């Protein structure tokens, strides 16, 4: 095939002549050309099917279709795409089966985290549809400590495509010319390599522009607050959603750090580990889980020899950012939250840091985190019940479930690797960057709905060629809908409101003095004892057994106004220390010699004549002077109620005004 052949389906027709038999035949061959980029190969999903070979995958065995074509259809269903968007580009025979690599593309290519994660979720369903046994998903020997090429050391897996010799697989009717993939393993944690000195495509992420400054590659990004050195998007906002990323590699003495702002005291920050119960033997049981639980940062970690839990309390503050650092080595796990906002005590001098020892004996102790599954940020989209996972993998502690996170992630790192939060292609309710504008909602009011209905009715009338007599019916329907949409305006009950009106507010006398007359209509709802009808019940001043002083109630009828003011005798109170009744003393009787008790004005509230309840009438109240003892008086008959006319303030007449007019 010539270089530069366009992708697509090409049909070759060949005419064959048999001169000896004088026969002519036309042969037809369909050639499907797929354009693969290096990114498509590196971001590929992988699986291993046992009991079949690569040539068997290409044979037509079911309804005129091969197992190869059926596999493409099932993968397309998982991602809701067409079969043409699935490229199975490598079939490689291994001991006991065949290793398959594929990619899916919509606009960009799907990431390996999405491809492997969704296939692992629906593995049983795909097995039943194909009638095969999927022995492994995500072919990476670093994830299995028992068979890892690096043993108990750091392990990195990389794919190296053979660009000079293609992979050719032939069957009776089909031939596949694919990509030969070699799996390389290095026993390090992503060793730092010197940066190149020449810009190339892909060095700067997210549309950044590469340039060379002092023999060093730099990136010009959209802004400096949301992007990293290579324009990695560092911030994202989560509103009860989630996002999938590539899991961290297998490293010795690693560290995970995250900077975040939260809107609540609960929420999942990250989880990486099994998302289904153990699908096959020796499936990795390792996981890491960090979440907020009532303003306590908790971390659960299992490295294969036991589950550990460590927590740090943080201050209840939604207006600041927090950072946690989770690290471990061969001996212990350390969880730190710099500036957690909690003060130390004698028992806990450093409340922002906690550490626990790794479980297990030194000989059987595991210290590598082998993650097979996506790194989930902000929430758990695909995780079985933790109780089921704990029972399936033998975790010694069962972590609790938590709600999805609401807030912003400002930075996520694994060792020195800065995650690009824009590299996810499987997310929900996640917005990049954190300060991305929120989506607005269009709310249709009732009048808008009426207009839409009226327009639809007009269109229907025009469509059916309605007569002119149908127009009044249409107008009547619109008017009925509009009338029904009106709301009855209700006014609050103003009967018991305090109504005041100011009269004579003009300055008729000069010198800034105004005639102000206040009418308080509240007095029209007063009981005979002087209490408002709408007010709460007055205190029980009188004995409940005294028939002369009945208790006022809220339902007491109001009395009519008297035509003339009636004099009121002095109010009397029973003495709590004596059976006889005395005249009340003046509230000022403890200051100086005794003073005569003022009489009650006919326009004064009856309670105004009562003495202070905690002063002269109290039997134990101290007095600087001896109190006079008045002769007892017999109780008269109940006095008539005082007049309830409004009180008019007294103003000097013009003749007595101190200043001439």
């Amino acid at each position: 095939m010539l270089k530069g052949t366009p992708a697509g389906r090409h049909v070759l027709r060949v005419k064959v002549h048999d001169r000896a038999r004088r026969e002519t035949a036309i042969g037809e061959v369909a050639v499907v050309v797929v354009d693969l980029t290096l990114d498509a190969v590196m971001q590929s999903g992988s699986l291993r099917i046992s009991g079949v070979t690569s040539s068997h995958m290409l044979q037509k065995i079911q309804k005129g279709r091969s197992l190869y074509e059926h596999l493409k259809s099932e993968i397309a269903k998982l991602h809701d795409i067409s079969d043409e968007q699935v490229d199975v580009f490598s079939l490689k025979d291994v001991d006991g089966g065949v290793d398959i690599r594929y990619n899916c593309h919509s606009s960009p290519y799907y990431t390996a985290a999405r491809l492997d994660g969704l296939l692992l979720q629906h593995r049983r369903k795909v097995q039943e549809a194909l009638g095969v046994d999927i022995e492994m998903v995500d072919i990476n020997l670093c994830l299995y400590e028992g068979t890892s090429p690096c043993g108990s050391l750091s392990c990195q897996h990389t794919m190296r495509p053979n660009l000079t010799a293609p992979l050719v697989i032939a069957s009776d009717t089909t031939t596949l010319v694919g990509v030969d993939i070699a799996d390389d393993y290095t026993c390090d944690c992503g060793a730092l390599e010197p940066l190149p000195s020449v810009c190339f495509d892909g060095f700067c992420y997210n549309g950044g522009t590469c340039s060379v400054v002092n023999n060093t590659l730099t990136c010009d990004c959209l802004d400096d607050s949301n992007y990293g050195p290579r324009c990695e998007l560092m911030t994202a906002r989560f509103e009860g959603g989630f996002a999938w990323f590539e899991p961290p590699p297998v490293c010795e003495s690693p560290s995970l750090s995250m900077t975040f702002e939260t809107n609540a005291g609960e929420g999942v920050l990250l989880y990486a580990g099994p998302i289904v119960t153990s699908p096959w033997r020796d499936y990795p049981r390792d996981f890491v889980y960090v979440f907020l639980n009532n303003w306590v940062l908790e971390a659960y970690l299992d490295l294969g020899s036991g589950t550990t839990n460590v927590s740090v309390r943080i201050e209840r503050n939604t207006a600041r950012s927090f950072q946690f650092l989770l690290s471990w080595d061969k001996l212990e796990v350390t969880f730190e939250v710099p500036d957690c906002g909690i003060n130390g005590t004698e028992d806990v001098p450093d409340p922002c840091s906690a550490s626990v020892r790794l479980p297990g004996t030194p000989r059987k102790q595991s210290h590598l985190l082998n993650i097979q599954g996506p790194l989930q940020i902000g929430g758990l989209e695909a995780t079985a019940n933790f109780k089921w996972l704990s029972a399936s993998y033998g975790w010694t502690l069962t972590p609790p479930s938590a709600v999805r996170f609401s807030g912003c992630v400002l930075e996520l790192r694994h060792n020195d690797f800065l995650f690009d939060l824009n590299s996810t292609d499987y997310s929900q309710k996640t917005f990049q960057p954190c300060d991305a504008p929120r989506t607005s909602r269009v709310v249709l009011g009732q009048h808008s709905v009426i207009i839409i209905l009226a327009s639809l009715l007009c269109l229907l009338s025009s469509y059916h060629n309605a007569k002119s007599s149908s127009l009044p019916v249409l107008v009547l329907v619109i008017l009925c809908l509009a009338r029904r949409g009106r709301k009855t305006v209700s006014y609050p009950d103003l009967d018991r409101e305090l109504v005041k009106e100011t009269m004579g507010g003009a300055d008729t006398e000069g010198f800034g003095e105004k005639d102000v007359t206040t009418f308080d209509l509240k007095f029209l709802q007063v009981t005979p004892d002087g209490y408002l009808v709408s007010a709460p019940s007055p205190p029980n001043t009188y004995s409940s057994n005294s028939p002369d002083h009945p208790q006022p109630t809220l339902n007491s009828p109001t009395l009519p106004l008297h035509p003339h003011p009636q004099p009121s005798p002095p109010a009397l109170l029973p003495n709590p220390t004596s059976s006889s009744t005395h005249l009340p003393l003046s509230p000022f009787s403890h200051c100086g010699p005794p003073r005569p008790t003022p009489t009650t004005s006919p326009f004064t509230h009856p309670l105004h004549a009562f003495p202070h309840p905690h002063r002269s009438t109290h039997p134990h109240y101290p007095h600087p002077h001896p109190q006079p003892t008045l002769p007892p008086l017999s109780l008269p008959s109940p006095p008539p109620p005082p007049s309830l006319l409004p009180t008019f303030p007294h103003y000097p007449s013009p003749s007595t005004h101190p200043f001439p007019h």
Side-chain angles (χ1 to χ4, degrees):
M1 186 172 61
L2 296 177
K3 183 179 180 180
T5 302
R9 182 183 178 88
H10 304 271
V11 179
L12 300 179
R13 291 183 176 87
V14 180
K15 181 181 289 187
V16 180
H17 297 278
D18 189 345
R19 295 181 180 179
R21 302 178 58 178
R22 297 181 179 181
E23 294 178 353
T24 301
I26 298 177
E28 186 174 291
V29 177
V31 179
V32 179
V33 179
V34 177
D35 186 13
L36 287 179
T37 63
L38 182 61
D39 187 35
V41 175
M42 305 306 292
Q43 289 289 346
S44 60
S46 59
L47 69 152
R48 176 175 295 174
I49 298 180
S50 61
V52 298
T53 61
S54 58
S55 59
H56 178 75
M57 291 283 299
L58 300 177
Q59 294 177 2
K60 307 286 185 179
I61 57 176
Q62 185 179 4
K63 296 181 180 180
R65 302 183 69 190
S66 63
L67 185 59
Y68 173 89
E69 293 171 316
H70 277 289
L71 177 62
K72 290 182 59 175
S73 298
E74 292 300 322
I75 294 175
K77 292 178 183 178
L78 293 181
H79 303 277
D80 195 20
I81 56 178
S82 63
D83 295 0
E84 289 74 18
Q85 293 175 279
V86 180
D87 300 326
V88 179
F89 58 85
S90 179
L91 300 174
K92 192 172 185 179
D93 291 321
V94 294
D95 186 15
V98 57
D99 286 353
I100 303 170
R101 293 194 178 274
Y102 66 97
N103 66 60
C104 298
H105 52 88
S106 178
S107 176
Y109 288 97
Y110 290 165
T111 61
R114 171 174 178 162
L115 299 177
D116 293 332
L118 290 182
L119 181 58
L120 190 60
Q121 277 186 278
H122 304 279
R123 167 178 164 268
R124 293 183 179 179
K125 180 181 178 181
V126 175
Q127 285 185 153
E128 294 175 357
L130 299 179
V132 297
D133 180 24
I134 299 179
E135 182 180 332
M136 184 183 297
V137 176
D138 187 9
I139 302 172
N140 183 359
L141 297 182
C142 287
L143 303 179
Y144 303 88
E145 292 188 29
T147 58
S148 173
C150 298
S152 60
L153 302 177
S154 301
C155 184
Q156 300 299 311
H157 169 242
T158 56
M159 293 181 294
R160 179 170 46 86
N162 190 341
L163 302 179
T164 58
L167 178 67
V168 180
I169 303 168
S171 67
D172 297 338
T173 58
T174 306
T175 300
L176 173 67
V177 180
V179 181
D180 186 14
I181 301 295
D183 295 307
D184 293 338
Y185 296 94
T186 57
C187 300
D188 55 47
C189 190
L192 296 178
E193 299 178 358
L195 294 176
S197 57
V198 179
C199 290
F200 61 92
D201 292 339
F203 178 78
C204 298
Y205 303 107
N206 301 308
T209 303
C210 179
S211 60
V212 180
V213 178
N214 297 328
N215 295 326
T216 303
L217 299 186
T218 60
C219 294
D220 185 14
C221 310
L222 297 179
D223 62 65
D224 297 332
S225 59
N226 293 309
Y227 295 89
R230 296 180 61 181
C231 298
E232 306 97 331
L233 182 61
M234 299 187 299
T235 68
R237 186 176 74 249
F238 294 84
E239 297 181 358
F242 67 90
W244 281 11
F245 298 91
E246 291 292 330
V250 180
C251 295
E252 297 179 87
S253 302
S255 64
L256 271 172
S257 66
M258 175 187 286
T259 305
F260 65 93
E261 295 175 352
T262 180
N263 298 327
E266 292 82 18
V268 175
L269 294 177
L270 65 86
Y271 173 81
I275 59 177
V276 295
T277 55
S278 183
W280 55 79
R281 185 181 177 183
D282 298 331
Y283 185 86
R285 57 173 282 175
D286 300 5
F287 78 95
V288 58
Y289 180 36
V290 182
F291 61 97
L292 267 172
N293 182 14
N294 193 21
W295 296 100
V296 176
L297 268 173
E298 293 196 48
Y300 281 78
L301 181 69
D302 195 310
L303 303 178
S305 56
T307 310
T308 59
N309 170 238
V310 60
S311 61
V312 173
R313 180 174 295 277
I314 62 176
E315 69 169 316
R316 299 172 178 264
N317 194 340
T318 59
R320 57 157 293 186
S321 62
F322 298 92
Q323 180 188 15
F324 74 79
L325 177 65
L326 179 65
S327 59
W328 61 90
D329 53 22
K330 296 181 180 180
L331 298 178
E332 65 178 8
V333 180
T334 304
F335 196 34
E336 300 177 76
V337 183
D339 190 19
C340 64
I342 304 298
N343 296 326
T345 61
E346 294 183 359
D347 298 334
V348 185
D350 187 8
C352 299
S353 177
S355 60
V356 294
R357 292 188 62 84
L358 284 176
T361 60
R363 292 184 178 181
K364 297 182 179 180
Q365 199 173 58
S366 177
H367 61 280
L368 298 177
L369 181 64
N370 308 95
I371 297 296
Q372 186 162 18
L375 172 63
Q376 303 185 60
I377 305 297
L380 305 181
E381 189 276 340
T383 301
N385 188 291
F386 276 127
K387 293 182 179 179
W388 299 348
L389 294 178
S390 180
S392 177
Y393 295 100
W395 295 343
T396 55
L397 293 176
T398 301
S401 300
V403 298
R404 291 181 177 178
F405 177 66
S406 174
C408 283
V409 174
L410 305 179
E411 184 181 281
L412 177 62
R413 287 182 180 269
H414 177 261
N415 292 346
D416 294 328
F417 175 75
L418 178 62
F419 277 84
D420 178 18
L421 298 185
N422 199 34
S423 62
T424 178
D425 61 345
Y426 193 62
S427 62
Q428 185 182 80
K429 295 182 181 179
T430 304
F431 306 91
Q432 298 97 349
C434 181
D435 55 0
R438 300 179 183 271
T439 57
S440 59
R441 298 180 180 179
V442 178
V443 180
L444 292 179
Q446 192 169 10
H447 294 286
S448 302
V449 175
I450 293 174
I451 294 174
I452 293 174
L453 291 176
S455 302
L456 292 176
L457 290 174
C458 291
L459 292 176
L460 290 175
S461 299
S462 301
Y463 179 77
H464 292 289
N465 296 323
K467 297 181 180 180
S468 60
S469 60
S470 63
L471 183 60
V473 178
L474 178 61
V475 174
L476 181 60
V477 171
I478 297 174
L479 291 177
C480 291
L481 291 174
R483 177 64 180 173
R484 187 176 182 180
R486 292 184 180 180
K487 294 183 178 180
T488 303
V489 180
S490 60
Y491 297 94
D493 185 10
L494 300 178
D495 294 339
R496 298 186 182 274
E497 291 291 332
L498 182 62
V499 182
K500 292 184 179 181
E501 182 179 356
T502 302
M503 302 178 62
D507 185 4
T508 58
E509 300 179 2
F511 304 99
E513 187 174 1
K514 298 181 180 180
D515 288 335
V516 179
T517 303
T518 302
F519 290 88
D520 193 350
L521 301 184
K522 196 173 182 180
F523 285 102
L524 297 179
Q525 298 177 343
V526 180
T527 64
D529 298 288
Y531 293 97
L532 296 178
V533 173
S534 60
S537 301
N540 188 5
T541 309
Y542 301 99
S543 173
S544 60
N545 299 327
S546 175
D548 297 331
H549 302 280
Q551 294 293 328
T553 61
L554 293 179
N555 297 325
S556 300
T558 58
L559 296 180
L561 294 177
H562 292 278
H564 300 286
Q566 299 293 332
S568 176
L572 302 178
L573 275 179
N575 191 340
T577 61
S578 175
S579 59
S580 61
T581 305
H582 301 272
L583 287 175
L585 299 178
S586 170
F588 305 99
S589 59
H590 64 283
C591 300
R595 300 180 182 179
T597 303
T599 59
T600 306
S601 172
F603 300 104
T604 306
H605 196 284
L607 291 181
H608 292 174
F610 292 167
H612 196 284
H614 301 294
R615 289 189 179 177
S616 58
T617 59
H618 198 280
H620 303 291
Y621 191 86
H623 298 279
H625 302 283
Q627 301 298 315
T629 303
L630 299 179
L633 296 177
S634 60
L635 288 174
S637 59
S643 174
L644 302 180
L645 287 175
T647 302
F648 295 89
H650 176 71
Y651 292 96
S653 61
S655 60
T656 60
H657 201 282
F659 299 98
H661 291 282

